[in-house]
Amino acid sequence: MNKWFMFLLATFSLTPLLLAPFASAEAGEKAKDNYRVYCIQCHGMQGDGMGLNIRDMSVQPRDHTDVKSMASRTDTELFKVIKEGGVAINKSSLMPPWGDTLSDDEIHDLVQYLRTLCKCKGANG
Amino acid sequence: MPAAHAGETGAALLQQRCVACHDLQGPAPTTLTQLFARKAPDLFYAGNKYQTAWVAAWLQQPKRIRPAGMLYLDHIKPGVKRDMVDSSTLKPHMALNNDDANKVAHALALLKPYNDRIKAVSHDPSISPGPLGEMLFDKIYGCMACHQIEPDFGGLSAPEIFTAGKRLQAAYMLSYIRSPQAWDAKTWMPNKHVSSPNDQKLVNYIIELSKENFDE
């Protein structure tokens, strides 16, 4: 075995084996990916509330790009509705609770992601 | 080849014709990267999940179950009023002849790694939802947002529910509704924290719904 081969072995086979499990366990999923898998089915590919599922829903999903309504919510309020669902803030049960699907860290990241969709900051409080 | 083919067991057929898409070994995806790579429903716990007679019949005449395919986000496109299913990306399922379908169905029925989860629940067919079933499903728990309760009513990102009573075992449905994440950690069905006996009522509503034979 020459040095070059040892180098290849170390770089390509050992590194991913050693690092991959730690990287995924600590970072959680990316907010953008979580939004795509769990939210766009109702809130839409563009985040504008025009999702695949909305035709027969009696209450329509929030338009996450709408500055006016999104800026009126605090980050704490957004966290609560994502984790506990619409019912927890006296809104529609069609907005599900995601607390058994996403970690608190992932939900905090999603709140920040929503702020990039509306290009707005939350109300104070 | 033909002579050998006739004697093939269901398990061998599964290995030859199904593993390219279906996971027969487990475990279910634990990361979104794995979820994105999953091409078809996991079958490694098929014996804990499906009704064997349904599997044998469906394999001979497969009909779409998930209106937007396995991973809905791979099969949608923006539309004028809302996102739409992009049917051009959906392919029909392969069909098997009667003999192969029955062999495969019986081989799948043996895959039961989760007997413990099934034993942990006890389905009670006597808890009828009465006329309230649809209200529970649509309004109280908002299940119709993702599931169709008849061919043209309900959401499109999840399996149609009006055939689920024929397709699935009652205990599986009860266990799955109580904790979808226990079965499939990354699924986009949320845990709605359905209290008892409403979970039993929902399962019995789904079973009653399938007797309306919307699919025939």
Side-chain angles (χ1 to χ4, degrees), chain B residues 54-64 93-97 101:
Chain B
W54 175 86
V55 174
W58 186 85
L59 283 170
Q60 295 171 62
Q61 267 188 314
K63 263 188 174 174
R64 184 157 304 291
H93 198 274
M94 67 160 74
L96 301 182
N97 65 36

mmCIF file of all heavy atoms in Angstrom, chain B residues 54-64 93-97 101:
data_model
loop_
_atom_site.group_PDB
_atom_site.id
_atom_site.type_symbol
_atom_site.label_atom_id
_atom_site.label_comp_id
_atom_site.label_asym_id
_atom_site.label_seq_id
_atom_site.Cartn_x
_atom_site.Cartn_y
_atom_site.Cartn_z
ATOM 1 N N TRP B 54 -56.849 -7.980 0.075
ATOM 2 C CA TRP B 54 -56.787 -6.728 -0.690
ATOM 3 C C TRP B 54 -55.491 -6.684 -1.504
ATOM 4 O O TRP B 54 -55.509 -6.302 -2.682
ATOM 5 C CB TRP B 54 -56.883 -5.506 0.245
ATOM 6 C CG TRP B 54 -56.690 -4.231 -0.517
ATOM 7 C CD1 TRP B 54 -57.652 -3.520 -1.169
ATOM 8 C CD2 TRP B 54 -55.435 -3.564 -0.774
ATOM 9 N NE1 TRP B 54 -57.079 -2.446 -1.820
ATOM 10 C CE2 TRP B 54 -55.733 -2.450 -1.601
ATOM 11 C CE3 TRP B 54 -54.110 -3.796 -0.408
ATOM 12 C CZ2 TRP B 54 -54.735 -1.564 -2.049
ATOM 13 C CZ3 TRP B 54 -53.127 -2.926 -0.857
ATOM 14 C CH2 TRP B 54 -53.444 -1.821 -1.660
ATOM 15 N N VAL B 55 -54.364 -7.060 -0.885
ATOM 16 C CA VAL B 55 -53.068 -7.014 -1.587
ATOM 17 C C VAL B 55 -53.132 -7.882 -2.840
ATOM 18 O O VAL B 55 -52.758 -7.449 -3.941
ATOM 19 C CB VAL B 55 -51.905 -7.481 -0.671
ATOM 20 C CG1 VAL B 55 -50.599 -7.576 -1.452
ATOM 21 C CG2 VAL B 55 -51.737 -6.537 0.523
ATOM 22 N N ALA B 56 -53.656 -9.105 -2.684
ATOM 23 C CA ALA B 56 -53.713 -10.032 -3.820
ATOM 24 C C ALA B 56 -54.585 -9.467 -4.939
ATOM 25 O O ALA B 56 -54.248 -9.580 -6.124
ATOM 26 C CB ALA B 56 -54.241 -11.388 -3.356
ATOM 27 N N ALA B 57 -55.703 -8.848 -4.583
ATOM 28 C CA ALA B 57 -56.605 -8.298 -5.605
ATOM 29 C C ALA B 57 -56.015 -7.045 -6.259
ATOM 30 O O ALA B 57 -56.042 -6.896 -7.483
ATOM 31 C CB ALA B 57 -57.964 -7.976 -4.975
ATOM 32 N N TRP B 58 -55.442 -6.162 -5.426
ATOM 33 C CA TRP B 58 -54.917 -4.890 -5.948
ATOM 34 C C TRP B 58 -53.758 -5.130 -6.913
ATOM 35 O O TRP B 58 -53.647 -4.448 -7.937
ATOM 36 C CB TRP B 58 -54.473 -3.985 -4.789
ATOM 37 C CG TRP B 58 -54.053 -2.602 -5.204
ATOM 38 C CD1 TRP B 58 -54.868 -1.512 -5.412
ATOM 39 C CD2 TRP B 58 -52.707 -2.139 -5.460
ATOM 40 N NE1 TRP B 58 -54.119 -0.426 -5.784
ATOM 41 C CE2 TRP B 58 -52.800 -0.773 -5.821
ATOM 42 C CE3 TRP B 58 -51.443 -2.735 -5.420
ATOM 43 C CZ2 TRP B 58 -51.669 0.004 -6.135
ATOM 44 C CZ3 TRP B 58 -50.330 -1.971 -5.744
ATOM 45 C CH2 TRP B 58 -50.439 -0.618 -6.093
ATOM 46 N N LEU B 59 -52.922 -6.108 -6.600
ATOM 47 C CA LEU B 59 -51.752 -6.360 -7.455
ATOM 48 C C LEU B 59 -52.160 -6.825 -8.857
ATOM 49 O O LEU B 59 -51.399 -6.680 -9.807
ATOM 50 C CB LEU B 59 -50.813 -7.374 -6.800
ATOM 51 C CG LEU B 59 -49.943 -6.801 -5.675
ATOM 52 C CD1 LEU B 59 -49.216 -7.915 -4.924
ATOM 53 C CD2 LEU B 59 -48.939 -5.768 -6.205
ATOM 54 N N GLN B 60 -53.354 -7.382 -8.969
ATOM 55 C CA GLN B 60 -53.813 -7.807 -10.297
ATOM 56 C C GLN B 60 -54.439 -6.655 -11.070
ATOM 57 O O GLN B 60 -54.444 -6.643 -12.291
ATOM 58 C CB GLN B 60 -54.823 -8.949 -10.161
ATOM 59 C CG GLN B 60 -54.166 -10.193 -9.566
ATOM 60 C CD GLN B 60 -55.179 -11.264 -9.219
ATOM 61 O OE1 GLN B 60 -55.878 -11.765 -10.093
ATOM 62 N NE2 GLN B 60 -55.261 -11.612 -7.945
ATOM 63 N N GLN B 61 -54.984 -5.674 -10.316
ATOM 64 C CA GLN B 61 -55.601 -4.505 -10.946
ATOM 65 C C GLN B 61 -55.265 -3.260 -10.146
ATOM 66 O O GLN B 61 -56.123 -2.661 -9.501
ATOM 67 C CB GLN B 61 -57.114 -4.676 -10.965
ATOM 68 C CG GLN B 61 -57.630 -5.310 -12.237
ATOM 69 C CD GLN B 61 -59.141 -5.268 -12.269
ATOM 70 O OE1 GLN B 61 -59.799 -5.596 -11.286
ATOM 71 N NE2 GLN B 61 -59.698 -4.854 -13.397
ATOM 72 N N PRO B 62 -53.991 -2.846 -10.184
ATOM 73 C CA PRO B 62 -53.599 -1.714 -9.335
ATOM 74 C C PRO B 62 -54.284 -0.418 -9.772
ATOM 75 O O PRO B 62 -54.439 -0.169 -10.966
ATOM 76 C CB PRO B 62 -52.082 -1.616 -9.549
ATOM 77 C CG PRO B 62 -51.716 -2.587 -10.604
ATOM 78 C CD PRO B 62 -52.909 -3.375 -11.015
ATOM 79 N N LYS B 63 -54.733 0.340 -8.764
ATOM 80 C CA LYS B 63 -55.367 1.643 -9.004
ATOM 81 C C LYS B 63 -54.683 2.641 -8.092
ATOM 82 O O LYS B 63 -54.361 2.292 -6.953
ATOM 83 C CB LYS B 63 -56.829 1.576 -8.548
ATOM 84 C CG LYS B 63 -57.845 1.306 -9.620
ATOM 85 C CD LYS B 63 -59.186 1.494 -8.929
ATOM 86 C CE LYS B 63 -60.369 1.417 -9.817
ATOM 87 N NZ LYS B 63 -61.594 1.463 -9.005
ATOM 88 N N ARG B 64 -54.527 3.875 -8.544
ATOM 89 C CA ARG B 64 -53.815 4.872 -7.743
ATOM 90 C C ARG B 64 -54.456 5.064 -6.373
ATOM 91 O O ARG B 64 -55.679 5.137 -6.253
ATOM 92 C CB ARG B 64 -53.764 6.200 -8.500
ATOM 93 C CG ARG B 64 -52.964 7.271 -7.794
ATOM 94 C CD ARG B 64 -52.453 8.345 -8.745
ATOM 95 N NE ARG B 64 -51.652 7.783 -9.827
ATOM 96 C CZ ARG B 64 -50.445 7.244 -9.673
ATOM 97 N NH1 ARG B 64 -49.883 7.181 -8.476
ATOM 98 N NH2 ARG B 64 -49.805 6.764 -10.702
ATOM 99 N N HIS B 93 -48.800 1.433 -11.774
ATOM 100 C CA HIS B 93 -48.094 0.356 -11.073
ATOM 101 C C HIS B 93 -48.113 -0.909 -11.918
ATOM 102 O O HIS B 93 -49.076 -1.170 -12.630
ATOM 103 C CB HIS B 93 -48.787 0.079 -9.738
ATOM 104 C CG HIS B 93 -47.947 -0.680 -8.759
ATOM 105 N ND1 HIS B 93 -47.890 -2.061 -8.743
ATOM 106 C CD2 HIS B 93 -47.116 -0.261 -7.771
ATOM 107 C CE1 HIS B 93 -47.076 -2.445 -7.765
ATOM 108 N NE2 HIS B 93 -46.586 -1.376 -7.162
ATOM 109 N N MET B 94 -47.069 -1.718 -11.846
ATOM 110 C CA MET B 94 -47.055 -2.991 -12.574
ATOM 111 C C MET B 94 -48.170 -3.907 -12.060
ATOM 112 O O MET B 94 -48.542 -3.861 -10.892
ATOM 113 C CB MET B 94 -45.711 -3.698 -12.405
ATOM 114 C CG MET B 94 -45.451 -4.177 -10.992
ATOM 115 S SD MET B 94 -44.201 -5.483 -10.889
ATOM 116 C CE MET B 94 -42.695 -4.590 -11.159
ATOM 117 N N ALA B 95 -48.718 -4.723 -12.940
ATOM 118 C CA ALA B 95 -49.757 -5.675 -12.531
ATOM 119 C C ALA B 95 -49.182 -7.088 -12.568
ATOM 120 O O ALA B 95 -48.304 -7.394 -13.376
ATOM 121 C CB ALA B 95 -50.954 -5.569 -13.463
ATOM 122 N N LEU B 96 -49.654 -7.956 -11.671
ATOM 123 C CA LEU B 96 -49.213 -9.357 -11.637
ATOM 124 C C LEU B 96 -50.374 -10.265 -12.044
ATOM 125 O O LEU B 96 -51.540 -9.890 -11.911
ATOM 126 C CB LEU B 96 -48.754 -9.740 -10.226
ATOM 127 C CG LEU B 96 -47.609 -8.944 -9.599
ATOM 128 C CD1 LEU B 96 -47.271 -9.514 -8.223
ATOM 129 C CD2 LEU B 96 -46.370 -8.930 -10.479
ATOM 130 N N ASN B 97 -50.058 -11.473 -12.526
ATOM 131 C CA ASN B 97 -51.143 -12.420 -12.793
ATOM 132 C C ASN B 97 -51.635 -12.993 -11.462
ATOM 133 O O ASN B 97 -51.010 -12.808 -10.416
ATOM 134 C CB ASN B 97 -50.695 -13.509 -13.781
ATOM 135 C CG ASN B 97 -49.589 -14.392 -13.203
ATOM 136 O OD1 ASN B 97 -49.568 -14.690 -12.004
ATOM 137 N ND2 ASN B 97 -48.663 -14.800 -14.051
ATOM 138 N N ALA B 101 -49.669 -12.872 -7.909
ATOM 139 C CA ALA B 101 -50.231 -11.925 -6.931
ATOM 140 C C ALA B 101 -50.530 -12.631 -5.612
ATOM 141 O O ALA B 101 -50.240 -12.106 -4.533
ATOM 142 C CB ALA B 101 -51.490 -11.275 -7.496
#
